[in-house]
Amino acid sequence: MALKEVNEPSASLTRWWSENTVAVVTGGNRGIGFSLVKKLAELGLTVVLTCRDDSKGQEAIESLKSEGLNNVRFFRLDVMDTSCINELVSWLKEAFGGLDILVNNAAVSFNEINENSVQHAETTIKTNYYGPKLLTEALLPLFRRSVSVSRILNISSRLGLLNKVRNPIVRELLEDEDRLCEKRIDFVVNRFLEDVTTGTWEGEGWPKVWTDYAVSKVGLNAYSRVLAKRYDGLGLSVNCLCPGFTQTDMTAGKGNHSADSAAEMAAQIVLLPPEKLPTGKFYIKNKPFLYSKI
């Protein structure tokens, strides 16, 4: 199915937010996450930067505060650790009473650009799919869902589009939008892990490039679609963004645009005026595409 472009976000944002608007960005100590925290803080939101490493998180916060950005807070978070997630939930309730924006940016890949090992497939799936899912589900009751509309933006990849999957069973499970559910998505990613364990993954029609990373994004894209449908019209927007080949540690700095550029794309999407904010869309860079089988 071809991608169909829909309305492009405006380069000039209409300000609907204030310093009381709370945004949480995971994996915020470096790369796209750090640049997005900085961008949102510069625009006047209150931003919570999260990452797994306490010292790196504190260092990132000090760097931002040295530039006069005092509207940033740090909370140590491992998205695979339910106790960490529960602590974040309690802290957000106490500190802010809730949140308005969540950007699931934290992700891992253990492959070099031209490699395709699945040695760390389980960690990749847990971090990139189950991590954002666990965090999102825990935070759902805290979204204010005001007239401004709460927003979730999942940083994803075109590698996770279904046109990269050649396995007919997987395609059938995930292409049926009426029956798409978390149980089906979990079955798919767990089947991949079983194929890795048995050494059969190469012949089972999984994506050919960065296979474990791609499957984790297949899962994240599908979950985003389920969530968008669940909350459509209920004050919560859910979208995905593929920022493209970005100069980060994950690409060994070999991308074709900077992390700041990718963060600008994410900020434009997540700060769209409520009346222009879509849901269930897959963005490539800052252009939204209607792709009903993400």
Side-chain angles (χ1 to χ4, degrees):
M1 183 175 181
L3 292 172
K4 179 182 177 183
E5 187 174 339
V6 294
N7 296 327
E8 183 175 353
S10 170
S12 58
L13 294 167
T14 302
R15 187 184 180 99
W16 54 266
W17 61 89
S18 71
E19 67 277 5
N20 296 319
T21 304
V22 176
V24 175
V25 180
T26 67
N29 63 302
R30 62 181 181 175
I32 296 172
F34 179 79
S35 293
L36 181 56
V37 169
K38 181 179 179 181
K39 181 65 179 178
L40 295 177
E42 288 174 342
L43 289 169
L45 291 83
T46 294
V47 190
V48 178
L49 181 160
T50 80
C51 70
R52 290 179 297 178
D53 189 296
D54 187 77
S55 62
K56 291 179 179 178
Q58 296 290 354
E59 183 179 344
I61 288 292
E62 292 305 315
S63 173
L64 293 168
K65 288 187 175 180
S66 71
E67 298 186 39
L69 298 173
N70 296 311
N71 50 333
V72 289
R73 302 281 294 275
F74 169 64
F75 196 92
R76 193 191 74 81
L77 174 69
D78 182 343
V79 296
M80 294 189 292
D81 186 334
T82 54
S83 63
C84 279
I85 291 174
N86 291 335
E87 288 171 7
L88 174 63
V89 170
S90 297
W91 179 77
L92 284 170
K93 283 181 181 178
E94 183 177 348
F96 305 109
L99 78 158
D100 306 281
I101 297 169
L102 170 64
V103 180
N104 282 309
N105 167 73
V108 296
S109 175
F110 296 91
N111 287 305
E112 299 294 334
I113 295 298
N114 296 314
E115 292 181 349
N116 195 30
S117 166
V118 294
Q119 181 180 355
H120 302 285
E122 185 173 358
T123 298
T124 301
I125 294 294
K126 284 183 177 179
T127 305
N128 300 357
Y129 168 61
Y130 283 111
K133 179 182 171 183
L134 284 170
L135 177 62
T136 299
E137 294 292 334
L139 290 178
L140 282 172
L142 269 66
F143 281 101
R144 290 188 241 268
R145 291 198 251 166
S146 65
V147 292
S148 298
V149 183
S150 294
R151 297 115 193 274
I152 296 173
L153 182 64
N154 291 323
I155 304 301
S156 190
S157 172
R158 278 175 285 190
L159 295 176
L161 292 177
L162 280 183
N163 59 13
K164 303 295 190 295
V165 179
R166 294 163 290 114
N167 185 306
I169 296 176
V170 171
R171 292 288 294 265
E172 182 179 355
L173 284 170
L174 299 184
E175 285 178 344
D176 186 346
E177 288 192 38
D178 291 335
R179 300 177 65 187
L180 183 62
C181 61
E182 293 174 49
K183 185 177 180 179
R184 284 191 169 207
I185 304 167
D186 289 351
F187 174 83
V188 166
V189 297
N190 289 329
R191 172 167 174 164
F192 167 68
L193 291 176
E194 289 173 6
D195 289 345
V196 170
T197 300
T198 59
T200 60
W201 63 275
E202 289 181 289
E204 291 298 320
W206 299 107
K208 292 182 177 181
V209 179
W210 274 17
T211 303
D212 53 0
Y213 178 85
V215 173
S216 73
K217 296 304 185 179
V218 168
L220 183 62
N221 290 342
Y223 172 66
S224 301
R225 190 68 178 173
V226 168
L227 205 60
K229 184 176 181 180
R230 186 193 308 171
Y231 286 96
D232 189 18
L234 298 176
L236 180 63
S237 165
V238 185
N239 295 299
C240 291
L241 165 65
C242 170
F245 194 36
T246 308
Q247 296 161 359
T248 64
D249 290 348
M250 189 178 289
T251 64
K254 296 178 181 178
N256 52 29
H257 58 261
S258 69
D260 286 347
S261 176
E264 179 71 29
M265 303 171 198
Q268 281 198 24
I269 295 164
V270 84
L271 294 179
L272 282 167
E275 68 275 9
K276 295 182 179 180
L277 181 67
T279 192
K281 299 295 184 287
F282 185 89
Y283 287 81
I284 295 178
K285 296 187 178 179
N286 68 337
K287 294 182 179 180
F289 291 81
L290 177 58
Y291 191 84
S292 59
K293 306 296 190 295
I294 62 172

